[in-house]
Amino acid sequence: MISVSRFLSPQFYAIQRSFVKMSASATQAAGEVSMAIKPPSHPTYDLKAVIKLALAEDAGHTGDVTCMATIPFDLEVEAYFLAKEDGIVAGLALADMIFEQVDPSLKIEWMRKDGDYVHKGLKFGKVSGNAHKIVVAERVVLNFMQRMSGIATLTKLMADAASPARILETRKTAPGLRLVDKWAVLIGGGRNHRMGLFDMVMIKDNHISAAGGIVNAIKSVDEYLKQKNLEMDVEVETRTLEEVKEVLEYVSGSETRLTRIMLDNMVVPLENGDVDVTMLKDAVELINGRFETEASGNVTLETVHKIGQSGVTFISSGALTHSVKALDISLKIDTELALEVGRRTKRA
């Protein structure tokens, strides 16, 4: 999980204050197209099938028995999306797709777009149409939006702090939600790492151990890609300065497909909560721009700024997707009562 120390750094509070500044430029015209940022591509991922599965697991074999018992089938209503805390909203384009599957006649209007700042108590979207269908879609829509908005919010904080380095997520995503999680990272201003096992060669510690060393592993990859006539990026994980030197010695005398060197756990945590990036800087200096570099390990909101100043190209953080806190969002027909309750519970 993300390590948040009791006494957060001034840098962290400065990033949080940047959310407030966003609100001045966040207003969008109602009804603006919400898919400003498209999902990443995947050769086998079927987003519509994922939505269908999410709706089916909620409906079961009978459908929404509470709706059928309490809501007249022909009742038309308007329901509003309410932000119950500050953050970056994401999943609006996905919500459009879900409502479309449930009932194409539903009308959705957004006052914000994916990636915009929302503040607690803000009405940022409206869905109009059949009440039964809106309530049936409600929880599935919110489950996706809240998770994606939580990821986008954390990504925005991390990306701003990491600059000039660029922030990446990892494959530590929720099973079945790989594309959705990585889409949220893009919406939050991050970059995608490899989508899966198929689109990039990433030589990690187990590959190195099984291959008999880091140089053997890189050689094997170079030979395999040449034999199969494959063009793709290649990254190798290094854990010590000695391994970095081994890699650089090999590539200096060999034709290689290597494009990036990961510097794993070269950020050393200190007892006072700070980190020592000396080893990381030494590694970056050894590589000297010959390859992209990626820092990994001990990346938190408190440490990412210091890591970003080390000269690395990228910083990867599994916490963006595996330990994220959902952003609290609701969809209410009676917004006045919802806001009254929210104020009472300090959530609006």
Side-chain angles (χ1 to χ4, degrees):
M1 294 184 66
I2 301 170
S3 170
V4 180
S5 62
R6 183 179 177 186
F7 298 104
L8 298 177
S9 66
Q11 173 69 22
F12 173 73
Y13 287 114
I15 298 162
Q16 281 198 316
R17 286 194 295 272
S18 71
F19 273 172
V20 177
K21 296 178 183 178
M22 291 178 208
S23 62
S25 59
T27 302
Q28 301 292 330
E32 183 175 350
V33 176
S34 56
M35 191 182 286
I37 300 171
K38 294 182 179 181
S41 61
H42 190 292
T44 61
Y45 197 95
D46 187 342
L47 190 53
K48 289 183 178 179
V50 171
I51 293 170
K52 184 177 180 180
L53 179 62
L55 290 167
E57 73 176 357
D58 214 19
H61 64 293
T62 61
D64 188 340
V65 292
T66 311
C67 268
M68 289 186 283
T70 61
I71 300 177
F73 191 75
D74 59 351
L75 179 66
E76 299 279 314
V77 298
E78 293 181 346
Y80 288 85
F81 286 93
L82 295 173
K84 299 171 83 171
E85 57 184 322
D86 300 349
I88 301 298
V89 70
L92 277 59
L94 184 55
D96 288 343
M97 296 172 67
I98 298 168
F99 283 125
E100 173 71 19
Q101 280 206 31
V102 172
D103 182 355
S105 72
L106 294 175
K107 183 180 179 182
I108 302 97
E109 299 177 53
W110 299 109
M111 296 74 159
R112 294 289 186 273
K113 68 178 186 300
D114 278 324
D116 278 348
Y117 167 81
V118 293
H119 61 80
K120 185 168 67 172
L122 178 72
K123 295 180 187 179
F124 64 88
K126 180 177 75 171
V127 56
S128 310
N130 183 269
H132 190 134
K133 298 299 177 63
I134 291 172
V135 175
V136 164
E138 172 193 358
R139 180 41 52 196
V140 173
V141 167
L142 289 176
N143 282 350
F144 278 114
M145 284 183 63
Q146 290 181 134
R147 178 175 176 83
M148 290 183 71
S149 297
I151 292 170
T153 299
L154 180 58
T155 300
K156 175 63 176 172
L157 290 169
M158 288 280 230
D160 285 354
S163 183
R166 286 161 280 179
I167 199 76
L168 306 169
E169 87 294 80
T170 68
R171 285 168 49 240
K172 297 174 183 177
T173 54
L177 296 181
R178 174 69 55 81
L179 185 141
V180 173
D181 283 0
K182 285 178 172 281
W183 190 3
V185 168
L186 292 179
I187 291 169
R191 293 273 296 271
N192 287 153
H193 210 305
R194 60 175 178 163
M195 181 60 65
L197 300 173
F198 58 89
D199 57 333
M200 179 184 190
V201 175
M202 189 166 176
I203 309 168
K204 292 181 66 65
D205 51 359
N206 284 334
H207 304 111
I208 292 167
S209 297
I214 196 164
V215 170
N216 284 347
I218 300 172
K219 282 182 180 178
S220 296
V221 167
D222 286 336
E223 291 168 3
Y224 178 84
L225 293 179
K226 185 176 182 179
Q227 181 185 30
K228 299 294 183 180
N229 196 28
L230 293 173
E231 290 290 337
M232 62 178 61
D233 289 338
V234 177
E235 179 172 10
V236 65
E237 177 185 286
T238 60
R239 295 157 292 180
T240 65
L241 292 178
E242 288 68 30
E243 284 188 330
V244 172
K245 291 173 183 177
E246 281 187 70
V247 170
L248 294 176
E249 184 177 351
Y250 165 70
V251 299
S252 66
S254 306
E255 184 179 345
T256 182
R257 302 289 187 88
L258 185 67
T259 54
R260 187 184 304 173
I261 299 176
M262 176 185 285
L263 309 171
D264 191 45
N265 287 312
M266 295 191 187
V267 176
V268 181
L270 303 175
E271 289 186 3
N272 64 0
D274 198 1
V275 288
D276 182 355
V277 295
T278 303
M279 184 178 179
L280 183 66
K281 287 182 175 180
D282 288 346
V284 170
E285 189 174 333
L286 283 171
I287 296 165
N288 194 28
R290 283 174 281 180
F291 300 94
E292 294 177 339
T293 52
E294 176 186 333
S296 178
N298 293 308
V299 178
T300 70
L301 279 173
E302 298 81 21
T303 64
V304 70
H305 178 70
K306 192 169 186 178
I307 297 169
Q309 302 304 304
S310 68
V312 293
T313 317
F314 300 104
I315 303 172
S316 57
S317 171
L320 290 179
T321 55
H322 74 55
S323 299
V324 72
K325 175 186 176 293
L327 191 74
D328 200 358
I329 298 168
S330 63
L331 179 63
K332 297 296 182 183
I333 296 171
D334 188 343
T335 55
E336 292 308 312
L337 179 57
L339 287 169
E340 180 184 329
V341 173
R343 286 188 288 268
R344 185 176 70 227
T345 57
K346 303 197 184 302
R347 295 168 68 196

